[in-house]
């Protein structure tokens, strides 16, 4: 029962993050990614991913392509 509630909660949060990413893409015309950071779903612009890589937020050697592969959702 606990697992079911966790899955439903994650699905609800994921749907909300996708909606947020689509709205931000429509407004700003930038590419947005929904990724899991520190156990939470985050909506991040691709440009911000570059900034996070420069600041060593991700492991050394991580590239944009690696982040895009791990992304749960990418706006077009």
């Amino acid at each position: 029962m606990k697992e079911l509630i966790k899955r439903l909660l994650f699905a609800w949060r994921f749907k909300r993050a996708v909606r947020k990413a689509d709205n931000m893409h429509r407004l700003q015309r930038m590419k947005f990614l929904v990724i899991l950071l520190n156990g939470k779903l985050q909506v991040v612009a691709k440009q911000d991913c570059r900034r996070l890589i420069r600041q060593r937020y991700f492991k050394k050697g991580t590239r944009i392509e690696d982040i895009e592969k791990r992304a749960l959702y990418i706006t077009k």
Side-chain angles (χ1 to χ4, degrees), residues 31 33 35 46-47 49-50 53 58-59 61-74:
K31 198 173 211 179
L33 311 169
I35 55 178
K46 191 171 178 180
Q47 289 177 342
C49 285
R50 291 187 180 120
I53 288 172
F58 297 103
K59 281 192 322 188
T62 303
R63 298 178 302 160
I64 291 288
E65 293 84 21
D66 300 332
I67 296 171
E68 284 184 333
K69 285 180 189 174
R70 287 185 21 209
L72 301 175
Y73 180 76
I74 303 172

Side-chain angles (χ1 to χ4, degrees), residues 2 6 9 19 36 41 54 69:
K2 261 186 179 179
K6 283 183 182 182
L9 192 60
R19 215 175 311 133
L36 204 60
L41 288 171
R54 280 196 306 268
K69 285 180 189 174

